[in-house]
């Protein structure tokens, strides 16, 4: 029997019903604006003024209406959009300390053309108009905010780090202005924080909130507060704020590793059945397809299978993370003179994200002795399930000496303790005269992040002691036919593990971490001279900034013999899987995403307690020779002319940016010389002595591996000339047309700045020892691309906006981006020079440029509120991206649309608000989204939709009770490989439905 949950037709029907009701309500509210507008229209021009009193009455009525709360917020946002010269969307906090969504990124996804990625259900990174996340520039008060994730540092900002309580408003610039910092091909997002001289004295808020998730079944707190003060003369003010949040994040994931084409081969090793899509068509880029190095497989009943796609491993994972977030803001403002204001900000964001991960893996290891058969997709070319069973006692491989033992499921897990800290200091000096305006800014932002420890453990449910071999599991099966991954194991698996029928897989047990540090210093000066007449003002300015990136890698080790640095894994004791290493009962509460008949897991607390007691605390072993120190210096200057005459206004400008990159990174070559202790006949004798973990007796790490680190100089400089033009014209007082044209750039991601490589060579002896695990002689690894070009584009926008009522709009925008040299991540086989020789590297993960491509589309949006408080916001984005050739070393290696692009995006929010009550339901749907290439094919995010509910009630003046439900319909994120079918399952992730309830007080 298969475990897990697949959505029934009834569940899908309920989800469609909720979605359709919301969309219908939004349309009804929107359409109701048409008769309302008709009633407000003035009389024809030839009529007498006194014959059309309705228009004047309506205008007076609009002026008389006083709106508050959420409606006031969205009206203020719309007014800022209307008055802007560029294509801008604005989100304004509903009230102090009360942002419209639980996360800044979650609020941004409701902006037309914006797509977000989620981390634990929270919005984490943002992309705009179909371009990947790294091409969106996020600025805090107009400047870069450093954030250091676990792993390699990134340019794109992780919004999980940022408390939404600190944000007063957010501006999304889809068309640039010369005065804005360059670097966002997709767009620029500016997060604006609060300032004390803009707020009443002794104003602020305090709030307490609890959150509950169906995956964690925990209720956890969040506390936040802010207070602002200024003197009576309004020449000195202080604002301080803080937030604390504790949250358990639990994700249920299904994944596959390395989809390969399996085929028989001739005597010379040539593939007999080349790879095809589901329609039987061969691939034009066949050299990029990953082929299994062996042949097809034969089931126990003798049925032979060849010419099909199958994953190398199928994994079910329960990911548990403990998040703790602190945020502090301190702002001081001083006005030493009437026309001079000095503002200093300090921000500190600290985010701890300790986690444990338990994974059940069914790799290809069982195809030799236990495979009983698969099921296929309708084309007959893609495995949808596979089943492995131990034969009856005394038959088949159990009659061998020694008898066979099943190695699956491999119980793998990760234990990580990590923290990110971001500190930002900035000072602004502003002078405002009658016609002259000057702003000087300088500051520093610095972030550090990564694990203090990350440890991996793996175990197998078997014993291989000579003469006492035992199987702890007799059945392993995986099946993702229904879209969610389901696994099945024999009923006694958990009990057998607790009874000691298990061994630690020492080859898969160890440690490794990457820590990073980002620091940017900056200084800028902006000058504005105002004029009378058509030329409204001229702005000139300059900015200097220097970004420094440091990355270090290392590992944690427990030494059985500190004097010789003998790792505990390399001793017989290290392979013993004690019963207390495993949970006493299977992991439960797996409502969606994955399923398993039993889900045993590794108890890391007990495992680490044992090795810490036995061997002492771990020793942190850095790798100082693995250097990664890069610097990027940018000098930029601009001139911008702003003009206005009647209903015609806009700006034209030029920004020039010179970029100089320098530093040193490291080519890291790993030579794996041998793995198993030799048998009597030498390296290639199959009779290897067995180790205590049931595999061959493994050679100690320092003896089987050699590392060679070679410094690589990183130097590059280039200059970009970036013209921009934004114009708008009021055809009537309520009808506005806009246009924009600009050149934009984005620098390569921080990881791509370096051309460093990390390559591994497996010797013939190593490949012989590890052949059953799909390893073969030769090179594999990852690296940068020395020929990678910066990302640039010309973009064109034209739009029309009809503001038919106060706080109401219907609009349309047409956009087009002509992209040059867009960047695509690749996994393929290449030939490279390594240690003075041309060698084949398979597979090789890198990045390559695509030829010129076009991203174009349309945004439709509407907003309206009825007089009694019912309102709606609806937008739809359609994005069409061309497919371009991907070239590496001058050769075409595949075709790809723009990575990160999604064809459709729809958002609908319906709300009702009166003096005390606010109700809001929001629906968001993203269409299929393109990701990078793997095995010659693009990975695609399946369409994703989510419904969120928000409610608040003012119990008394200033005291507000609020509640929210996020991901009401329990949606699951999914990925697949290739655009011909969704049958090549890549990933699913269920992060849960989350509920919030809180109390806040504004004063």
């Amino acid at each position: 029997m298969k475990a897990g949950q697949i959505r029934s037709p009834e569940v899908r029907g309920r989800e469609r019903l909720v979605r359709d009701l919301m969309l219908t309500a939004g349309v009804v509210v929107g359409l109701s604006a048409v008769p309302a507008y008709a009633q407000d229209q003035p009389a024809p021009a030839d009529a007498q003024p006194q014959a059309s009193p309705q228009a004047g009455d309506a205008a007076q009525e609009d002026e008389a209406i006083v709106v508050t709360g959420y409606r006031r917020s969205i009206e203020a946002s719309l007014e800022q959009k209307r008055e802007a010269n560029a294509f801008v969307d604005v989100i304004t906090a509903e009230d102090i300390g009360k942002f419209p969504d639980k996360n800044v990124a979650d609020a941004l996804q409701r902006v037309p053309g914006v797509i977000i990625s989620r981390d634990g259900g929270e919005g984490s990174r943002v992309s705009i108009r179909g371009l990947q996340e790294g091409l969106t520039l996020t600025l805090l008060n107009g400047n870069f905010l450093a954030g250091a994730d676990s792993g390699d540092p990134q340019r794109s900002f992780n919004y999980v780090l940022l408390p939404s309580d600190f944000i007063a408003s957010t501006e999304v610039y889809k068309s640039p202005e010369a005065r804005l910092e360059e670097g966002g091909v997709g767009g620029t997002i500016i997060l604006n924080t609060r300032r004390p001289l803009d707020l009443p004295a002794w104003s602020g808020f305090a709030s307490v909130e609890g959150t509950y998730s169906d995956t964690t079944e925990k209720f956890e707190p969040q506390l936040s507060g802010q207070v602002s003060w200024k003197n009576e003369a309004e020449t000195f003010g202080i604002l301080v704020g803080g937030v604390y949040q504790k949250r358990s994040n639990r994700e249920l994931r299904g994944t596959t590793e390395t989809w390969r084409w399996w085929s028989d081969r001739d005597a010379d090793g040539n593939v007999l059945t080349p790879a095809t899509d589901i329609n039987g068509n061969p691939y034009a880029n066949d050299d990029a397809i990953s082929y299994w190095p062996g042949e097809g497989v034969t089931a126990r009943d003798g049925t032979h299978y060849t010419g099909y796609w199958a994953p190398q491993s199928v994994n079910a994972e329960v990911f548990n993370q403990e998040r703790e977030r602190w945020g502090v803001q301190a702002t001081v403002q001083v006005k030493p003179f009437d026309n001079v204001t000095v503002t200093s900000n300090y921000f500190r964001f600290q985010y701890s994200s300790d986690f444990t991960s338990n994974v059940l893996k069914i790799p290809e290891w069982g195809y030799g002795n236990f495979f009983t058969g698969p099921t296929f997709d309708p084309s007959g070319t893609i495995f949808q399930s596979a089943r492995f069973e131990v034969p009856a006692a005394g038959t088949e491989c159990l009659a061998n000496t020694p008898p066979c033992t099943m190695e699956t499921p491999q119980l793998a897990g990760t234990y990580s303790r990590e923290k990110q800290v971001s500190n930002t200091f900035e000072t602004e000096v502003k002078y405002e005269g009658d016609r002259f305006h000057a702003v000087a800014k300088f500051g520093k932002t610095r972030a550090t992040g990564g694990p203090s420890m990350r440890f991996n453990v793996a175990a197998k449910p078997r014993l291989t002691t000579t003469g006492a071999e035992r199987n702890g599991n007799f059945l392993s099966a995986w099946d993702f036919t229904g879209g969610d991954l389901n696994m099945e194991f024999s009923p006694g698996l958990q009990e057998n593990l607790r009874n000691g029928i298990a061994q630690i897989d020492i080859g898969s047990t160890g440690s490794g971490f990457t820590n990073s540090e980002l620091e940017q210093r900056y200084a800028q000066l902006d000058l504005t001279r105002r004029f009378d007449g058509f030329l409204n003002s001229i702005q000139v300015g300059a900015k200097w900034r220097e970004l420094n990136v440091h990355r270090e890698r290392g590992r944690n080790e427990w030494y059985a013999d500190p004097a010789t640095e003998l790792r505990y894994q390399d001793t017989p004791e290290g392979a013993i899987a004690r019963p207390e290493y495993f949970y006493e009962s299977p992991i439960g509460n797996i409502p969606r995403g994955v399923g398993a008949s039993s889900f045993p897991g590794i108890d890391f607390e007990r495992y680490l307690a044992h090795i810490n007691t036995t061997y002492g605390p771990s020793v942190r072993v850095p790798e100082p020779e693995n250097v990664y120190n890069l610097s990027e210096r940018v000098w930029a200057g601009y001139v911008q002319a702003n003009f206005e005459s009647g209903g015609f206004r806009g700006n034209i400008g030029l920004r020039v940016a010179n970029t100089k990159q320098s530093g040193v990174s490291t080519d890291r070559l790993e030579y794996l010389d041998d793995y198993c202790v030799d048998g009597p006949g030498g390296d290639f004798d199959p009779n290897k002595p067995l180790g205590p973990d049931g595999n061959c007796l493994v050679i100690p790490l320092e003896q089987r591996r050699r590392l060679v680190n070679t410094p690589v100089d990183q130097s590059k400089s280039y200059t970009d000339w970036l013209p921009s033009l934004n114009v708008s014209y009021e055809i009537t007082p309520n009808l506005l047309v806009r246009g924009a044209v600009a050149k934009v750039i984005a620098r390569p991601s921080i990881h791509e700045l370096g051309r460093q490589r990390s390559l591994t060579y497996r010797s013939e002896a190593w490949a012989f020892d590890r052949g059953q695990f799909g390893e073969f002689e030769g090179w594999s690894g990852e690296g940068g691309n020395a020929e990678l070009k910066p990302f640039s584009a010309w973009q064109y926008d034209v739009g029309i906006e009809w503001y038919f009522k106060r706080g109401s709009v219907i609009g349309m925008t047409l956009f087009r981006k002509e992209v040059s040299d867009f960047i695509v991540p690749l996994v393929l086989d290449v030939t490279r020079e390594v240690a003075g020789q041309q060698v084949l590297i398979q597979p090789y993960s890198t990045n390559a440029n695509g030829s010129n491509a076009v991203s174009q589309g349309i945004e439709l949006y509407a907003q309206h509120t009825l007089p009694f408080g019912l309102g709606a916001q609806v937008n739809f984005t359609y994005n069409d991206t061309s497919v371009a050739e991907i070239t590496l070393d001058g050769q075409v290696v595949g075709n790809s649309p723009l990575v990160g692009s999604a064809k459709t995006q729809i958002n609908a929010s319906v709300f009702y608000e009166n003096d005390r009550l606010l109700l809001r339901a929001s629906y968001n749907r993203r269409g299929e989204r393109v990701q990078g290439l793997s095995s010659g094919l693009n990975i695609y995010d399946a369409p994703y939709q989510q419904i969120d509910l928000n409610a608040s009630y003012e119990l008394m003046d200033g005291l507000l009770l609020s509640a929210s439900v996020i991901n009401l319909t329990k949606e699951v994120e999914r990925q697949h490989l290739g655009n011909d079918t969704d049958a090549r399952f890549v990933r699913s992730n269920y992060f849960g439905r989350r509920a919030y309830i809180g109390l806040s007080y504004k004063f």
Side-chain angles (χ1 to χ4, degrees), residues 190-217:
I190 301 177
L191 309 172
N192 300 301
T193 58
R194 301 180 184 278
R195 299 184 171 191
L197 295 185
D198 298 332
L199 300 172
W202 293 115
S203 63
F205 73 93
S207 71
V208 58
E209 186 176 62
T211 177
Y212 176 87
S213 172
D214 66 339
T215 59
T216 63
E217 298 183 331

Side-chain angles (χ1 to χ4, degrees), residues 913-918 952-957 959-960:
E913 185 177 37
N914 60 28
D915 291 342
R916 292 189 178 275
L917 177 68
L918 170 64
S952 64
Y953 184 78
E954 190 172 20
L955 302 172
M956 54 180 286
D957 288 346
L959 185 63
L960 194 72

Side-chain angles (χ1 to χ4, degrees), residues 82 649 728-730 734-738 799-801 803:
R82 182 177 183 173
R649 54 188 166 86
S728 64
Y729 178 66
E730 293 183 357
N734 295 326
L735 187 62
L736 179 72
V737 292
R738 297 183 189 273
I800 184 167
E801 301 162 12
Y803 296 92

Side-chain angles (χ1 to χ4, degrees), residues 100-115:
D101 287 86
K102 293 300 176 185
N103 178 288
V104 178
D106 288 334
L108 287 170
Q109 74 171 328
R110 312 199 192 288
V111 171
V114 171
I115 297 173

Side-chain angles (χ1 to χ4, degrees), residues 196-242:
L197 295 185
D198 298 332
L199 300 172
W202 293 115
S203 63
F205 73 93
S207 71
V208 58
E209 186 176 62
T211 177
Y212 176 87
S213 172
D214 66 339
T215 59
T216 63
E217 298 183 331
K218 292 182 179 179
F219 192 79
E220 295 170 305
Q222 173 173 316
L223 306 173
S224 61
Q226 191 175 85
V227 61
S228 179
W229 172 86
K230 62 183 177 183
N231 61 5
E232 291 186 4
E234 297 190 0
T235 59
F236 180 72
I238 299 175
L239 181 149
V240 293

Side-chain angles (χ1 to χ4, degrees), residues 370 388-390 405-408 461-462 471 473-476:
F370 308 112
F388 307 89
E389 294 185 72
V390 176
T405 53
M406 180 178 275
E407 299 179 82
T408 62
R462 64 172 188 176
N471 279 297
N473 181 49
F474 297 85
L475 166 66
S476 288

Side-chain angles (χ1 to χ4, degrees), residues 585-606:
S585 58
I587 297 172
N589 187 27
I590 305 178
R592 298 198 69 171
V594 297
S597 58
S598 178
F599 208 119
I602 296 170
D603 189 331
F604 278 96
E605 297 295 336
R606 291 184 177 181

